[in-house]
Amino acid sequence: MWRPRSVGRVIAERRLRFAGPRKGARVVSVRFGQPVRSPRPERGDPWWCPVEIRGLGKHSLRPIAGEDSLQALVLAFEFVTHVLPAEAERAGGRLEWLGERERLVFANILSAGLARIALQNLIEGLASAIDVLENGSARRTRAAKKIVRQLKALVASGGHTSDPRRIPEPTSKRLQRAQQKHSRSAATR
């Protein structure tokens, strides 16, 4: 069966940091070639996405097969994400990209989780601000009431709004839950 013998036209490249206890850090280069098919494809022949790896031992070319060009490319990304870290461990180290080791190609789940927690903290802080504005001894001015309405809508939307200049009136039960949670935490202080 035909397979590519070179990376061909490079469509993407990632430089990873290999950190090992013995030799220190070095760069591992991963280059993705454009998915290709046999020069004379027959029915059922796969597409191939060549993956070239340099800096992790011997220079290697790994053609990754798929049913179509997109699947070959996605499987090549998955190969780098899942197989390359194991090869780095066998070589006595670990791979990192931007200081992260969890996912070398696709979005980092850890960072997304931290962003979610930060947003949750922001929403709870806004709920607290609403409580202070509503129940504090501050003068009830028209501007303060407008701010309270906007903050309530922001909390109710979970921080998402299509137009940052216009925050819709609250319609969600999320605001009620946030206020109840804040009231309970304030009562235990």
Side-chain angles (χ1 to χ4, degrees):
M1 178 184 294
W2 181 88
R3 292 180 187 205
R5 295 178 188 245
S6 71
V7 72
R9 181 173 167 248
V10 175
I11 60 169
E13 182 175 358
R14 170 118 333 142
R15 294 184 178 275
L16 305 167
R17 182 177 177 268
F18 177 84
R22 289 175 257 140
K23 295 182 181 180
R26 67 178 184 263
V27 173
V28 172
S29 171
V30 180
R31 297 181 346 148
F32 298 89
Q34 178 177 342
V36 294
R37 207 161 184 208
S38 165
R40 290 187 216 136
E42 294 181 19
R43 186 179 176 116
D45 280 355
W47 281 79
W48 298 93
C49 183
V51 178
E52 182 183 69
I53 303 162
R54 292 180 183 224
L56 190 63
K58 187 178 174 184
H59 166 221
S60 68
L61 178 73
R62 306 275 180 90
I64 308 297
E67 288 294 318
D68 60 18
S69 59
L70 180 61
Q71 186 185 40
L73 180 61
V74 169
L75 290 174
F77 290 156
E78 288 291 333
F79 167 80
V80 170
T81 299
H82 298 292
V83 176
L84 211 52
E87 290 186 8
E89 277 187 42
R90 281 194 290 277
R94 66 181 186 277
L95 291 172
E96 299 175 352
W97 183 64
L98 298 177
E100 295 291 334
R101 295 185 346 219
E102 189 175 317
R103 302 280 287 171
L104 301 175
V105 176
F106 293 108
N108 191 320
I109 295 168
L110 176 63
S111 296
L114 293 174
R116 182 184 46 77
I117 291 168
L119 180 61
Q120 181 181 353
N121 290 340
L122 174 66
I123 300 294
E124 288 173 5
L126 288 172
S128 299
I130 290 168
D131 187 50
V132 169
L133 287 171
E134 281 186 328
N135 301 321
S137 61
R139 251 181 25 192
R140 301 243 184 232
T141 66
R142 210 170 159 180
K145 288 180 182 180
K146 180 181 177 185
I147 290 170
V148 168
R149 269 194 326 275
Q150 289 179 331
L151 286 173
K152 282 181 177 181
L154 186 61
V155 170
S157 73
H160 299 282
T161 179
S162 59
D163 183 356
R165 293 167 293 169
R166 184 183 161 276
I167 301 174
E169 290 298 320
T171 58
S172 172
K173 292 185 179 184
R174 184 179 289 164
L175 175 62
Q176 293 169 351
R177 287 194 308 267
Q179 286 176 330
Q180 289 170 351
K181 184 176 180 180
H182 174 70
S183 298
R184 283 189 299 248
S185 67
T188 60
R189 288 186 205 155

